[in-house]
Amino acid sequence: MLSSQVVIIGAGAAGLMCALSAAARGRQVLLLDHANKAGKKILMSGGGRCNFTNLYCEPGNFLSHNPHFCKSALARFTQWDFIALVAKHGVPYHEKKLGQLFCDNKSSDILGLLLAECDEAGVELRLATSVTTIERLPDGYRLQTSAGTLSCQSLVIATGGLSIPTLGASGFGYQVARQFGHSLLPTRAGLVPFTLTDPQLKSLCSELSGTSVEDCRVSCNGQSFVENILFTHRGLSGPAILQISSYWHPGDSIGIDLLPHLDLPAWLAEQQRERPNSELKTLLAELFTKKMGGLLAEHWFSSRPLKQYTPTQLNDIAERLANWQLVPAGTEGYRTAEVTLGGIDTREVSSKTMESLKSPGLYFIGEVLDVSGHLGGFNFQWAWASGYAAAQYV
Ligand code: FDA
């Protein structure tokens, strides 16, 4: 039977960071993954350029039933610590917007630096290895795997959430948590596009598929985000929609202000004075694209020369554009979601060490826990920070 001080299951963002940090402390680390490649999500992330952290990362960027849980780990391994690691490896990067840091070249630069650090620190990486059973021993854990029996003092679960099963996601971490007496909070897809079934809405979105509108304010349940929205064949996507999806529950309405930076009632009244013979659809085409202006004029308003609208009618048009209310039919689900909301209840895990309060020597890190970040590099920062925190104690 092979014995190791630390076994980490899951060679994704959190598992790799935990492995390299624990091995750098002199721990003997075995990192396992059932996939044939480490860090598949890192490679896919940020459109191939990995949005690896955010300059403005703070606890308010995370959703959890226990909002204080993430604070300690985030304070002990900050965005600046990860940026220093990126700089150490000479990986070129840039701020895209809103503090979001992306690689100049490819996501593989980030995976490459993590693997190089693991290699240098002496981490043993075993891919294409699945774990069938885990058993508690008096001084650790015994695992039956496709590569034989293993034992360890500390066992770290870093198997992530349920999003994108084709990238290796599985419910394994939840199953282990349940086995050792942990409670699970309901899981659902987060940072995910909305689908629509209302025939009129669906046809509007489908006709506009591929069109994006910059800097819309999208609101739901007391939260709002100002970012781009994107029309798709199935409904709505784009950063503002992905962000709000994490706050949305089935049946909730979302509000979209298509022009939050414009005083629309005043602007429409001014246009009516200055060019009374212009058609509404011409104005809308100037605010959006020609196609979108035409479709909104057709679906929402009957387009006439501006002089034919009463002040009340102009205000109604402004209100419709500033407060478009719609009820999504659902989301695209785990197939395209960037994260899984919910998961292992953090009230049963130490926020300092990430160790289970139910089973000594068992640790949970990354997305498998009930901590999910906003879009913009926050989810990787949580993976780095929680992985680093556990690494100090395993
Ligand atoms: P992660 O999912 O990275 O790793 C889990 C690992 O465990 C995988 O390697 C998996 O194969 C393995 N595993 C699962 N079950 C197993 C089992 N039974 N046995 C053995 N191994 C098992 N975030 C961000 O901050 N910036 C970004 O740019 C993006 N972009 C992005 C794009 C896309 C398409 C997705 C889906 C997600 C993102 N994210 C993101 C989110 C980010 O990828 C995610 O939050 C982290 O990868 C979570 O890190 P973990 O290590 O917890 O899980």
Side-chain angles (χ1 to χ4, degrees):
M1 179 168 68
L2 184 71
S3 166
S4 185
Q5 289 175 325
V6 182
V7 167
I8 302 173
I9 309 179
L16 286 162
M17 176 54 81
C18 185
L20 70 90
S21 308
R25 276 182 56 229
R27 304 293 283 163
Q28 182 199 7
V29 180
L30 177 60
L31 176 59
L32 303 179
D33 204 296
H34 65 172
N36 55 1
K37 203 170 176 142
K40 282 191 182 181
K41 268 193 198 164
I42 298 175
L43 292 176
M44 284 286 290
S45 67
R49 291 226 164 102
C50 188
N51 177 193
F52 56 80
T53 193
N54 193 295
L55 293 175
Y56 309 118
C57 184
E58 50 176 63
N61 298 114
F62 295 85
L63 291 93
S64 173
H65 288 81
N66 179 12
H68 298 298
F69 180 81
C70 63
K71 290 182 178 173
S72 167
L74 290 173
R76 282 176 294 139
F77 189 88
T78 68
Q79 57 272 43
W80 309 111
D81 293 311
F82 196 76
I83 292 166
L85 188 60
V86 170
K88 174 184 162 195
H89 286 261
V91 170
Y93 66 91
H94 61 279
E95 179 186 354
K96 197 166 165 194
K97 59 176 169 175
L98 306 168
Q100 301 165 5
L101 299 189
F102 283 77
C103 295
D104 286 355
N105 300 321
K106 287 189 179 147
S107 301
S108 53
D109 285 353
I110 297 296
L111 180 58
L113 79 81
L114 295 167
L115 289 171
E117 290 277 334
C118 281
D119 198 40
E120 196 181 318
V123 172
E124 191 186 338
L125 175 62
R126 285 206 186 173
L127 298 170
T129 303
S130 49
V131 177
T132 43
T133 59
I134 300 176
E135 215 183 316
R136 176 98 185 269
L137 302 175
D139 55 352
Y141 294 87
R142 180 161 49 214
L143 283 65
Q144 302 298 337
T145 78
S146 55
T149 307
L150 304 174
S151 71
C152 58
Q153 292 162 8
S154 299
L155 176 63
V156 184
I157 306 300
T159 45
L162 297 169
S163 39
I164 323 233
T166 50
L167 293 181
S170 77
F172 181 80
Y174 306 133
Q175 190 187 310
V176 176
R178 225 180 277 120
Q179 179 189 341
F180 291 98
H182 280 263
S183 319
L184 297 178
L185 292 159
T187 51
R188 62 194 166 89
L191 300 180
V192 63
F194 285 131
T195 55
L196 301 169
T197 44
D198 175 271
Q200 273 189 333
L201 266 179
K202 203 174 169 195
S203 118
L204 176 71
C205 290
S206 168
E207 284 185 75
L208 286 173
S209 174
T211 305
S212 75
V213 185
E214 283 185 17
D215 295 336
C216 297
R217 177 176 291 112
V218 183
S219 311
C220 183
N221 291 322
Q223 277 290 326
S224 61
F225 293 91
V226 178
E227 259 275 26
N228 300 358
I229 65 167
L230 172 72
F231 293 93
T232 72
H233 279 295
R234 294 160 59 92
L236 287 166
S237 186
I241 294 292
L242 299 186
Q243 296 279 33
I244 212 68
S245 71
S246 295
Y247 292 87
W248 179 85
H249 293 91
D252 290 342
S253 163
I254 62 164
I256 303 181
D257 182 349
L258 289 166
L259 297 157
H261 302 300
L262 189 64
D263 179 352
L264 261 178
W267 188 79
L268 284 172
E270 186 188 314
Q271 299 306 307
Q272 191 181 42
R273 270 194 312 276
E274 287 178 6
R275 41 176 177 162
N277 293 319
S278 289
E279 284 246 355
L280 178 66
K281 71 174 175 201
T282 313
L283 249 70
L284 295 180
E286 288 167 17
L287 291 171
F288 307 107
T289 60
K290 189 171 176 210
K291 186 171 183 190
M292 182 164 165
L295 282 168
L296 288 185
E298 180 190 320
H299 281 259
W300 288 1
F301 319 109
S302 60
S303 183
R304 305 195 291 272
L306 293 178
K307 65 184 175 197
Q308 293 182 15
Y309 292 99
T310 65
T312 310
Q313 286 170 330
L314 277 192
N315 279 338
D316 288 348
I317 292 168
E319 169 66 15
R320 184 83 203 255
L321 293 169
N323 190 17
W324 176 22
Q325 292 287 330
L326 62 138
V327 180
T331 71
E332 289 190 4
Y334 294 120
R335 190 179 60 81
T336 62
E338 280 201 16
V339 287
T340 302
L341 301 165
I344 298 171
D345 191 339
T346 57
R347 287 167 290 205
E348 296 165 349
V349 176
S350 158
S351 62
K352 187 173 170 204
T353 64
M354 303 292 139
E355 188 175 9
S356 160
L357 300 178
K358 301 267 179 186
S359 188
L362 178 65
Y363 297 76
F364 297 101
I365 56 173
E367 200 182 313
V368 75
L369 287 163
D370 169 36
V371 177
S372 311
H374 287 168
L375 189 79
F378 302 104
N379 283 296
F380 279 138
Q381 188 57 40
W382 171 246
W384 316 138
S386 58
Y388 178 84
Q392 309 313 308
Y393 301 93
V394 290

